[in-house]
Structures are given as C-alpha cells and as structure tokens.
Amino acid sequence: MFARLIELMDRIGQPAYPLHIGDTCLDPPLACRLESLAQEPPPRPYAYSHPFGSPALREALAEKVRRDNGLHWADGDCVQITCGATHALSVTCQALLAPGDEVIIPAPHWPLIRGIVTAAGGTPVQAPFWPDLADDSAENCVELLRPFLTDRTVALYLNTPNNPTGRCLSRAALGRLADFAEAHDLWIISDEAYEHYAFGGVPHVSVASLSEATAARTVSCWTLSKAYALAGYRAGYLCAPPDLVARIRRLCNHSVYSVAGVVQEATLRALRHGDEWLVRAKAAY
C-alpha cells in the first residue's frame, strides 16, 4: 500500500510530503550514520552475526529496558534482536497464535498489524477504541474492548503511544487492561515503537512493568526506526520471559537467521551516544 502511494506521488511531478509513513525529516545520531560506521567499522562486518543478537547489544538493551521501561527482571536472555518492530511483532504472533485464534486490535491501528496476525494464522478483531476513549483513559478502556471478547480470543494488541492517533494510555488504563488480560488468560502484544514521543502530558508506561503477572504474559516490541530515525537499517528488538523468547528465537532463526552485524553495531552506538539527540529530536517534532 505505502509503496503504491509513493509511485502515485512520483507521477504527480510536484513537491509531495509523505505524511502517511513513519519516516522522519531528521538525520540519525552521528555515531550511527554510515560515514561513522565506515570510519570505525565493527569487527568482521561481512560475516554472519549471532542469531539472537550480539551479546553486547542484548546486554545493553536489557540494561535499557530495566532503566527506562521498568522491566527490572530483564537480562540478555529476555532480549531478541529483530529486523525492526515489524519482524518482532511477526515472530511474536507466530509464536503465540494457532489457526483461528483471535487477537483484539484497538482501532484505528497501524495498518500492518492486521496482516501480521493473518499471516500467522490468526484472526484480527478490530475494536473501535481510540476515538471513543475517555479523556481519563482508564475510565472506559475495558468496556470498549469487552464486546469483542470471544472464546477464541487469545491476545490483546496494545500500541501506546498510538499510531495513528498519537494518544497514550495512562498507567491506570494499562492496569485495567492488564487485569482484563489476566482475567481472560490473554497474551499482551505491546507495540512500543513510539515510546520516546509521548506528547500531551501522559508519559509512556511499558505494560510489562506493572507486575510480574503482567510481565509473564507480555511480549514488548521496540524499533530504532522511530526512536533514532534509523528506519532504513531495519533494527528492532523484543523482550519477554526467557521461555517464550526461546520459542521466538527458533522462528527468528528460520526467518532472517540474524540481523546484519553492522546494523547491530549502529544500534549499540545509538544507545551509547544518542541521549542528547533524543532530547533535540523530541523538541523538533
């Protein structure tokens, strides 16, 4: 869909602004740009990298999610490096869904999640949600989703801060949704692509940070595409309990085998040198 839109825009022959896609007008942090990587390349840049992700990167990301996302239990065994959040969500759905299993998707939603669920054999159930959510997002969040629960529902997809509305669920709302998931034994698929860009006074909260019980049923997915303007590198990662990550790793091994070592090195440099860039980027957006 997005590729066809770009083709149509190119035919117009006039200046066009692609507001339909989550690219950015900003260049990424200097430390992870191509010119910096060329000056200081990682060891053996043309060789296969570790299928789970390099140990150094997984440990750095585990430290990040403990510090910034409140996942105090996470270590390197809880982290898998992926080809962007799209790949993270795809292998998550493959690991969790059997044919015919239903996933509740609050709508409007990021367009690709419906196809990701379908490709994994699941059935996406779109639930009108974000426009009807109360200003206090905890007030009616469960009531909006409850009518779409069936005996075939196995998972709830949460995308906060949300694409496309920009809204962010409060800690109280996430708590109610986590209770809803626990009461009905649902997995939570948490898409946190826009974690650094929560506007409007409601801070981003990772649902897996709420309790050990919620963490045990949640897969959290992130991307460097939005965080550090690195969409072209296709860098992402997920975090979940180690037994589930072990299942997901088998799927990664048989889909992409491993993420490019240069991309992993760029991700590591973004984590180490990107803090000031993030502050400037958020102000610019």
Side-chain angles (χ1 to χ4, degrees):
M1 177 178 66
F2 290 163
R4 290 199 301 273
L5 282 170
I6 291 293
E7 291 174 3
L8 290 171
M9 291 162 63
D10 288 344
R11 291 177 199 164
I12 294 171
Q14 298 291 331
Y17 303 92
L19 300 179
H20 62 288
I21 196 164
D23 255 330
T24 174
C25 58
L26 303 180
D27 289 326
L30 179 60
C32 48
R33 295 181 198 172
L34 290 174
E35 56 265 35
S36 297
L37 290 165
Q39 291 173 3
E40 297 181 56
R44 304 185 71 228
Y46 308 115
Y48 285 112
S49 57
H50 196 294
F52 302 168
S54 75
L57 179 55
R58 286 188 285 117
E59 290 299 332
L61 287 167
E63 179 183 353
K64 178 263 179 188
V65 299
R66 290 194 300 267
R67 181 188 66 240
D68 298 345
N69 301 96
L71 278 56
H72 59 85
W73 43 269
D75 60 21
D77 289 335
C78 301
V79 175
Q80 170 67 36
I81 310 304
T82 61
C83 291
T86 302
H87 182 224
L89 291 162
S90 177
V91 291
T92 294
C93 288
Q94 290 176 57
L96 299 182
L97 304 180
D101 284 348
E102 294 180 357
V103 180
I104 297 177
I105 302 175
H109 54 77
W110 173 59
L112 271 63
I113 189 59
R114 182 178 178 184
I116 287 170
V117 170
T118 302
T123 301
V125 178
Q126 299 170 102
F129 182 79
W130 294 100
D132 301 318
L133 194 63
D135 290 338
D136 172 7
S137 58
E139 184 178 327
N140 64 335
C141 58
V142 170
E143 286 68 25
L144 291 171
L145 300 181
R146 195 184 303 279
F148 299 91
L149 182 74
T150 75
D151 58 3
R152 303 192 72 171
T153 307
V154 300
L156 169 63
Y157 169 77
L158 293 179
N159 172 217
T160 176
N162 175 250
N163 174 2
T165 69
R167 295 194 66 179
C168 195
L169 291 172
S170 67
R171 179 179 292 273
L174 287 170
R176 291 192 179 184
L177 291 169
D179 291 343
F180 173 72
E182 184 171 1
H184 299 284
D185 195 23
L186 306 180
W187 292 103
I188 298 174
I189 302 169
S190 182
D191 178 352
E192 303 181 33
Y194 290 91
E195 64 170 335
H196 295 292
Y197 304 112
F199 299 109
V202 180
H204 169 63
V205 175
S206 292
V207 66
S209 70
L210 297 182
S211 69
E212 291 184 6
T214 301
R217 65 177 65 253
T218 300
V219 181
S220 305
C221 303
W222 291 275
T223 175
L224 278 287
S225 300
K226 312 304 189 279
Y228 296 100
L230 290 170
Y233 280 6
R234 308 310 304 127
Y237 58 102
L238 60 82
C239 186
D243 57 341
L244 180 54
V245 170
R247 292 164 56 190
I248 289 172
R249 282 177 172 167
R250 291 198 288 271
L251 291 159
C252 290
N253 191 77
H254 292 281
S255 55
V256 300
Y257 182 70
S258 64
V259 174
V262 172
V263 169
Q264 294 192 52
E265 177 65 21
T267 301
L268 190 57
R269 294 183 188 185
L271 293 171
R272 291 174 173 171
H273 305 292
D275 288 352
E276 291 185 7
W277 185 92
L278 277 173
V279 172
R280 295 195 301 272
K282 185 167 183 177
Y285 294 146

